[in-house]
Amino acid sequence: MQSLLTRRTIRRYTDQPVEDTLLNRLLTEAARTQTMGNLQLYSVVVTRSDEQKARLAPAHFNQPMVTEAPVVLTICADFNRTTQWARCRQASPGYDNLLSFMNAAIDALLYTQTLCNLLDEEGLGYCYLGTTVYQPQTIIDVLQLPRLVMPVATLTVGWPHPDELKSPLTDRLSVDAFVHQETYHDYAPADIDRLYAYKEQLQENRHFVEINHKETLAQVFTDIRYTRRDNEALSTTLLDTLRQQGFLQ
């Protein structure tokens, strides 16, 4: 078990299996998290087979933990089940729209975070893959997701390799960087200097700037890691997929 204050992303795992009984218990307990209208607008696809993990890997830029982790969990925003329930009970569903996707996505992410906390309590390691929404069509095809189901998060899960537990903790902004009292207070240049000083002065971040041949850490993010070009292209892909899955007209 690890505290949130010492939580690490785990990308390497031992060969010890994650037993179905344990995983099912955690998946069940996570369902006590908050949910809109008590509808539980999410589904989880559990992937254990090497074949399926290999098929999912390209959607996550072939990051090795996808194929090496004992378990891959794909958490989906799901209004299909609720829609089917409504139709089977002489009700008229109206959930093929952007607001419904947002509600289901929030439900799915709340479930994901609660599950992460439970994994921590059990001593399991996991890696949250933000790549899930970059190439969602591949995931949809591999997992055979129907209309009104959209992947929004992926966790690779396993027992942590001992070396992973020795890795340094990543930095975080201080609470005054993101907590606003009563109203939102915008950031003056002096605030930015103060709030980002620690992050920018860390040796690993200074090295990050150097090896990427940039002048500032911010430039690494805007020019290399998360560029306008990539963001716009992936946004187009995301919108197209939401249309195909029935959440946009």
Side-chain angles (χ1 to χ4, degrees):
M1 175 179 177
Q2 63 175 332
S3 162
L4 276 175
L5 294 178
T6 58
R7 191 204 69 80
R8 290 170 171 82
T9 293
I10 303 298
R11 296 179 174 84
R12 296 171 60 203
Y13 309 95
T14 69
D15 294 332
Q16 180 181 351
V18 179
E19 299 294 341
D20 281 335
T21 301
L22 172 59
L23 181 60
N24 288 337
R25 174 171 66 80
L26 298 179
L27 291 171
T28 299
E29 291 177 3
R32 296 308 307 173
T33 197
Q34 306 92 322
T35 173
M36 193 197 82
N38 201 29
L39 289 173
Q40 295 180 254
L41 302 171
Y42 48 80
S43 282
V44 182
V45 181
V46 180
T47 302
R48 289 183 178 274
S49 78
D50 291 340
E51 179 183 1
Q52 279 291 81
K53 286 186 282 189
R55 295 179 67 197
L56 284 172
H60 300 291
F61 301 102
N62 291 306
Q63 296 177 86
M65 55 275 198
V66 177
T67 53
E68 295 173 1
V71 181
V72 177
L73 304 177
T74 305
I75 300 93
C76 304
D78 185 349
F79 246 118
N80 173 62
R81 184 181 62 251
T82 302
T83 295
Q84 299 286 8
W85 173 54
R87 287 173 176 162
C88 288
R89 297 295 182 268
Q90 295 75 53
S92 299
Y95 308 124
D96 53 348
N97 45 64
L98 180 59
L99 178 62
S100 295
F101 168 71
M102 289 297 298
N103 286 330
I106 291 167
D107 253 28
L109 293 174
L110 285 169
Y111 180 89
T112 301
Q113 183 56 64
T114 300
L115 179 60
C116 287
N117 293 342
L118 293 171
L119 294 170
D120 283 329
E121 290 181 1
E122 290 293 331
L124 282 160
Y126 57 88
C127 181
Y128 177 93
L129 303 182
T131 47
T132 305
V133 295
Y134 287 3
Q135 301 181 76
Q137 190 58 55
T138 299
I139 299 172
I140 290 167
D141 292 342
V142 171
L143 302 183
Q144 301 179 27
L145 304 182
R147 181 179 169 87
L148 297 184
V149 179
M150 183 75 178
V152 295
T154 300
L155 299 175
T156 60
V157 179
W159 298 103
H161 187 284
D163 290 346
E164 290 286 89
L165 299 177
K166 301 174 185 177
S167 62
L169 296 176
T170 53
D171 62 277
R172 292 292 188 267
L173 294 173
S174 61
V175 67
D176 55 335
F178 54 85
V179 173
H180 304 257
Q181 302 296 337
E182 307 300 341
T183 61
Y184 188 102
H185 296 276
D186 207 352
Y187 303 93
D191 297 322
I192 296 298
D193 290 344
R194 173 174 57 85
L195 296 171
Y196 282 86
Y198 175 75
K199 178 186 287 287
E200 292 175 335
Q201 292 304 313
L202 285 172
Q203 183 58 42
E204 57 265 37
N205 286 338
R206 292 167 66 91
H207 180 63
F208 201 28
V209 173
E210 181 181 354
I211 63 175
N212 284 285
H213 308 291
K214 293 296 176 181
E215 296 178 359
T216 69
L217 182 62
Q219 289 175 353
V220 176
F221 286 87
T222 60
D223 299 354
I224 297 175
R225 296 196 67 186
Y226 306 108
T227 68
R228 175 182 292 277
R229 179 179 178 181
D230 287 346
N231 287 337
E232 291 178 348
L234 293 171
S235 293
T236 298
T237 298
L238 180 60
L239 289 170
D240 289 344
T241 308
L242 285 172
R243 290 188 184 94
Q244 175 180 300
Q245 293 305 100
F247 285 110
L248 292 178
Q249 304 303 317

